[in-house]
C-alpha cells in the first residue's frame, strides 16, 4: 500500500497554479475534496506563463507539448475534457534539425514518414536502424510508464518487480549514447534521439538509457501545439477547476504556513489566512522547504540541471527555412555538454532551439508579424556565472547570440526585432528557482525515481509536494503526473496514465 496522508483531508490548499498544481487540483476535485488554489501571479500557468508585449503573445515556459492524454486525464477527473476546451494542432514535422555541415532533417513522429526521411538523409541502413530504435523506444516506454513514472514510491524497494527486470533486459540501465548507437551509426541522427538528455541535466554518454523515454515522447508519441499558445493549456485547466468548484485566488504570495505539531493548519498569504486540512506545495524546492521550515536529509547536496537563456523576439519578418521547432546544432557535441554540466562555461559552439509559434498560430502576433523563441542552454549558477554576474553578462550574450543566428541564416534578425524579452539565469533565480535553472534537480541516478526528493516530507504529516523538483521529474508530461501523484497521496485513489495512444485529435495539422 502506498502511504497517504493521515487525518482529515476535506479542504486542501494548493500553493501554485502551474501545471502541477492545476493537475493536483483537478484530481482532488474529482475525488470530492474542497480545493483552494493560491498563486502569486495574476494568471495561471507558473512556468507556463504568458507575456504580452505590443500585441505579441509570448509563452514564457515550455514550447513543446507531448503526451496530451496525461492532461486529458486531469480534465476527465472532473468530467471535463482537454479536447473540448483546447484545439491541439499536431506538428508535422515535430522538429527540423539543422546541422553544422549544412544538412537538414525533418523529424516526423509517424513511422513511415520518418523512415523515408531517414533513408533520404542517411541511407536505407540507417532507416532500418531507425525502425528498430522506434520499436525499442515503444517497449521502453511501456516498461517505465506504469511502474516508474506514474507511481508513488515509499522506498527504493518499490522499484522491485517484473517491470524492473523488463527495463534491465531492455538495457535501460546502460548509457543512453551507447544504446542509441546500437541502432544508428550516423552521428547526426544519434543527436536527434539523445539531445533530450539535456532535459534530464545529464550528458548522453552519462545518462541512463532509460531516459530515452523522453525521446519516445518527442519522436514517437507526437508533438502538438495548442491554439492560442502553450499558455492555453493551464488557462483551460484553471477554467475547468473553477467550474468544478475550486476557489482560485491569484495575486497572492504565500508568506508562511501555520502549524500545530506535525500538521499544517493554515496557509497565510500577503492578503489572508486560509485554514486547511492538507496542503499541496508546488513551488521550487528551496521555496517549498523554506515554507516548511525544514529540508530533507540527503547524503549529498542536490545537483541541478543546466539553465537556459531565452530570447523572446517579436519581429517584422521571418525566415522560411524555420519549422515550428528547429534544432540548430553546432559542430561540437560532447564538448558542449562538458561546458554545460562540468566546466560551467557558456557554449563555445552552441546548439539552439528556435521555436516559431506563429508558423502554426499567426494570431499570436499582430498581422504580418512573427514570434521567435530562441533557447540557448547555459550552465546553472552553481557552476557557471552567478545570478549577479548575469546583470552585466546578459547584453553581451544577447549580442553574441544574435550574431550566431545571423551566421546560421537568420539574416537581419537584430534589425527585425520590434519587441523582445531576454530571460537569463538571473531571471530564474529571482523567481525562486534553485541554481538559477527552471529545470530543477538533474536526473542523475541518485536523484531519480525513489531517490528523487519525495513528495512526502518528514516531519509534516499533511503536506505533499508536486512539480518538477519531486517525483517523477522535469517536463510537461511528468509535471502533470506529479500533480496526480500528489493528489493520490491525499485521496488514496491511484489513477493511472494511459499506457499509450491518444484520444482522437482535431484533424487540423501544421506543417513548417
Amino acid at each position: 500500500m502506498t502511504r497517504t496522508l493521515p487525518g482529515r483531508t476535506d479542504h486542501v490548499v494548493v500553493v501554485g497554479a502551474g501545471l502541477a498544481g492545476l493537475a493536483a487540483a483537478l484530481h482532488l476535485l474529482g475525488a470530492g475534496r474542497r480545493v483552494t488554489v493560491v498563486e502569486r501571479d495574476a494568471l495561471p500557468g507558473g512556468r507556463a506563463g504568458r507575456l504580452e508585449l505590443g500585441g505579441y503573445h509570448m509563452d514564457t515556459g515550455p514550447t513543446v507539448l507531448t503526451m496530451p492524454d496525461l492532461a486529458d486525464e486531469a480534465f476527465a477527473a472532473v468530467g471535463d475534457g482537454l479536447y473540448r476546451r483546447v484545439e491541439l494542432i499536431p506538428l508535422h514535422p515535430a522538429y527540423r534539425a539543422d546541422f553544422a555541415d549544412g544538412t537538414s532533417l525533418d523529424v516526423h513522429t509517424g513511422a513511415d514518414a520518418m523512415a523515408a526521411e531517414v533513408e533520404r538523409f542517411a541511407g536505407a541502413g540507417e532507416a532500418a536502424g531507425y525502425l528498430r530504435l522506434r520499436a525499442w523506444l515503444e517497449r521502453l516506454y511501456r516498461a517505465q510508464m506504469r511502474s516508474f513514472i506514474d507511481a508513488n514510491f515509499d522506498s527504493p524497494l518499490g522499484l522491485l518487480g517484473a517491470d524492473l527486470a523488463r527495463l534491465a533486459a531492455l538495457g535501460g540501465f546502460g548509457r543512453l549514447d551507447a544504446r542509441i548507437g546500437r541502432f544508428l551509426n550516423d552521428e547526426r541522427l544519434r543527436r536527434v534521439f539523445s539531445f533530450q538528455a539535456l532535459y534530464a541535466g545529464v550528458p548522453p554518454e552519462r545518462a541512463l538509457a532509460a531516459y530515452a523515454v523522453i525521446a519516445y515522447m518527442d519522436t514517437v508519441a507526437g508533438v502538438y501545439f495548442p491554439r492560442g499558445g502553450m499558455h492555453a493549456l493551464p488557462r483551460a485547466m484553471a477554467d475547468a477547476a473553477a467550474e468544478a468548484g475550486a476557489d482560485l485566488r491569484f495575486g497572492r504570495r504565500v508568506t508562511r504556513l501555520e502549524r500545530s505539531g506535525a500538521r499544517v493548519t493554515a496557509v497565510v498569504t500577503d492578503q489572508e489566512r486560509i485554514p486547511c486540512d492538507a496542503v499541496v506545495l508546488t513551488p521550487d524546492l528551496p521555496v517549498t522547504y523554506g515554507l516548511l521550515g525544514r529540508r530533507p536529509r540527503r547524503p549529498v547536496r542536490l545537483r541541478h540541471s543546466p539553465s537556459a537563456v531565452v530570447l523572446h523576439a517579436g519581429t517584422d519578418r521571418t525566415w522560411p527555412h524555420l519549422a515550428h521547432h528547429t534544432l540548430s546544432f553546432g559542430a561540437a557535441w560532447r564538448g558542449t555538454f562538458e561546458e554545460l554540466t562540468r566546466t560551467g562555461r557558456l557554449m563555445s559552439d552552441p546548439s539552439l532551439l528556435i521555436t516559431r509559434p506563429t508558423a502554426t498560430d499567426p494570431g499570436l502576433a499582430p498581422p504580418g508579424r512573427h514570434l521567435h523563441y530562441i533557447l540557448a542552454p547555459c550552465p546553472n549558477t552553481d557552476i557557471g556565472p552567478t545570478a549577479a554576474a548575469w546583470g552585466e553578462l546578459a547584453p553581451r550574450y544577447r549580442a553574441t547570440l544574435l550574431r550566431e543566428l545571423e551566421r546560421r541564416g537568420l539574416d537581419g534578425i537584430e534589425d527585425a526585432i520590434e519587441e523582445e524579452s531576454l530571460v537569463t539565469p538571473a531571471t530564474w533565480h529571482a523567481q525562486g528557482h534553485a541554481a538559477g535553472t527552471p529545470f530543477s534537480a538533474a536526473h542523475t541516478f541518485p536523484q531519480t525515481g525513489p531517490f528523487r526528493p519525495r513528495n512526502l516530507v518528514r516531519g509534516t504529516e499533511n503536506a505533499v509536494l508536486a512539480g518538477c523538483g519531486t517525483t517523477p521529474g522535469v517536463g510537461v508530461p511528468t509535471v502533470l503526473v506529479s500533480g496526480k501523484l500528489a493528489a493520490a497521496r491525499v485521496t488514496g485513489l491511484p489513477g493511472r496514465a494511459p499506457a499509450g495512444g491518444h484520444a482522437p485529435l482535431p484533424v487540423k495539422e501544421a506543417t513548417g
Side-chain angles (χ1 to χ4, degrees), residues 99-158:
F99 299 96
D101 64 0
T103 58
S104 292
L105 171 81
D106 280 350
V107 179
H108 299 282
T109 52
D112 293 343
M114 186 59 180
E117 176 70 353
V118 171
E119 183 168 356
R120 177 200 66 79
F121 181 77
E126 293 295 271
Y130 157 73
L131 290 173
R132 292 194 302 273
L133 170 61
R134 182 186 178 95
W136 177 74
L137 290 172
E138 290 173 337
R139 293 196 301 273
L140 190 74
Y141 172 76
R142 287 194 296 270
Q144 287 191 73
M145 188 64 197
R146 293 185 182 275
S147 296
F148 303 112
I149 298 173
D150 185 29
N152 276 313
F153 291 100
D154 293 325
S155 95
L157 295 177

Side-chain angles (χ1 to χ4, degrees), residues 22-24 26-27 69-80 237 480:
L22 292 168
L26 289 166
H27 285 285
D69 40 349
L70 295 174
D72 189 45
E73 191 182 14
F75 285 94
V78 294
D80 210 320
M237 294 174 75
L480 290 168

Side-chain angles (χ1 to χ4, degrees), residues 52-298:
E52 308 278 354
L53 283 178
Y56 292 95
H57 309 285
M58 301 174 178
D59 285 319
T60 60
T63 63
V64 178
L65 179 61
T66 62
M67 309 298 293
D69 40 349
L70 295 174
D72 189 45
E73 191 182 14
F75 285 94
V78 294
D80 210 320
L82 168 67
Y83 308 110
R84 186 176 74 82
R85 288 188 176 267
V86 181
E87 179 190 351
L88 293 187
I89 305 169
L91 299 184
H92 299 296
Y95 297 93
R96 178 164 296 149
D98 289 341
F99 299 96
D101 64 0
T103 58
S104 292
L105 171 81
D106 280 350
V107 179
H108 299 282
T109 52
D112 293 343
M114 186 59 180
E117 176 70 353
V118 171
E119 183 168 356
R120 177 200 66 79
F121 181 77
E126 293 295 271
Y130 157 73
L131 290 173
R132 292 194 302 273
L133 170 61
R134 182 186 178 95
W136 177 74
L137 290 172
E138 290 173 337
R139 293 196 301 273
L140 190 74
Y141 172 76
R142 287 194 296 270
Q144 287 191 73
M145 188 64 197
R146 293 185 182 275
S147 296
F148 303 112
I149 298 173
D150 185 29
N152 276 313
F153 291 100
D154 293 325
S155 95
L157 295 177
L159 283 171
L160 301 178
D163 282 335
L164 181 67
R166 196 171 295 120
L167 183 58
L170 287 167
F173 297 106
R175 297 301 173 196
L176 175 63
D177 200 37
R179 179 58 58 169
I180 298 296
R182 290 191 177 195
F183 301 100
L184 301 170
N185 294 314
D186 190 292
E187 189 266 349
R188 297 165 300 173
L189 287 175
R190 292 203 300 268
R191 290 189 186 192
V192 169
F193 293 94
S194 63
F195 82 89
Q196 297 87 354
L198 185 61
Y199 302 156
V202 186
E205 69 269 18
R206 297 206 307 270
L208 290 176
Y211 283 111
V213 72
I214 310 174
Y216 166 86
M217 296 176 184
D218 270 2
T219 67
V220 176
V223 175
Y224 303 88
F225 188 70
R227 176 76 64 192
M230 286 289 290
H231 183 68
L233 174 58
R235 192 169 63 242
M237 294 174 75
D239 290 344
E243 290 180 22
D247 179 3
L248 301 175
R249 304 185 186 184
F250 296 104
R252 263 82 159 179
R253 183 177 294 273
V254 175
T255 57
R256 62 188 176 92
L257 304 177
E258 282 189 11
R259 301 172 67 102
S260 176
R263 293 187 71 84
V264 175
T265 55
V267 173
V268 181
T269 76
D270 51 8
Q271 298 184 38
E272 74 265 278
R273 174 184 180 274
I274 309 170
C276 63
D277 299 312
V279 61
V280 175
L281 300 168
T282 72
D284 208 19
L285 293 178
V287 175
T288 288
Y289 292 149
L291 289 171
L292 290 167
R294 63 196 71 191
R295 62 178 56 243
R297 297 189 298 271
R298 294 186 66 89

Side-chain angles (χ1 to χ4, degrees), residues 212-441:
V213 72
I214 310 174
Y216 166 86
M217 296 176 184
D218 270 2
T219 67
V220 176
V223 175
Y224 303 88
F225 188 70
R227 176 76 64 192
M230 286 289 290
H231 183 68
L233 174 58
R235 192 169 63 242
M237 294 174 75
D239 290 344
E243 290 180 22
D247 179 3
L248 301 175
R249 304 185 186 184
F250 296 104
R252 263 82 159 179
R253 183 177 294 273
V254 175
T255 57
R256 62 188 176 92
L257 304 177
E258 282 189 11
R259 301 172 67 102
S260 176
R263 293 187 71 84
V264 175
T265 55
V267 173
V268 181
T269 76
D270 51 8
Q271 298 184 38
E272 74 265 278
R273 174 184 180 274
I274 309 170
C276 63
D277 299 312
V279 61
V280 175
L281 300 168
T282 72
D284 208 19
L285 293 178
V287 175
T288 288
Y289 292 149
L291 289 171
L292 290 167
R294 63 196 71 191
R295 62 178 56 243
R297 297 189 298 271
R298 294 186 66 89
V300 180
R301 67 177 292 197
L302 284 174
R303 282 183 51 196
H304 289 88
S305 295
S307 186
V309 172
V310 180
L311 176 62
H312 301 275
T315 62
D316 63 9
R317 60 163 296 189
T318 191
W319 295 266
H321 70 276
L322 295 176
H324 185 111
H325 296 297
T326 300
L327 296 163
S328 178
F329 289 108
W333 188 239
R334 290 199 174 197
T336 297
F337 280 96
E338 187 78 7
E339 290 168 338
L340 291 172
T341 63
R342 288 200 165 172
T343 67
R345 291 195 293 267
L346 297 174
M347 291 183 293
S348 54
D349 184 10
S351 289
L352 308 170
L353 171 65
I354 305 167
T355 295
R356 184 170 63 122
T358 43
T360 301
D361 187 354
L364 295 171
R369 299 299 192 262
H370 308 271
L371 261 182
H372 299 87
Y373 166 111
I374 298 103
L375 184 147
C378 69
N380 64 47
T381 57
D382 280 348
I383 66 167
T386 64
W390 273 103
E392 180 184 343
L393 180 58
R396 298 205 312 270
Y397 191 67
R398 172 192 177 275
T400 300
L401 194 56
L402 289 172
R403 283 196 302 271
E404 186 63 27
L405 291 168
E406 287 265 1
R407 195 181 68 78
R408 297 189 187 188
L410 275 67
D411 51 291
I413 182 170
E414 184 163 20
D415 291 339
I417 296 174
E418 295 184 330
E419 299 284 351
E420 69 175 282
S421 173
L422 184 70
V423 179
T424 73
T427 316
W428 308 120
H429 175 80
Q431 293 175 2
H433 300 315
T437 174
F439 305 115
S440 195

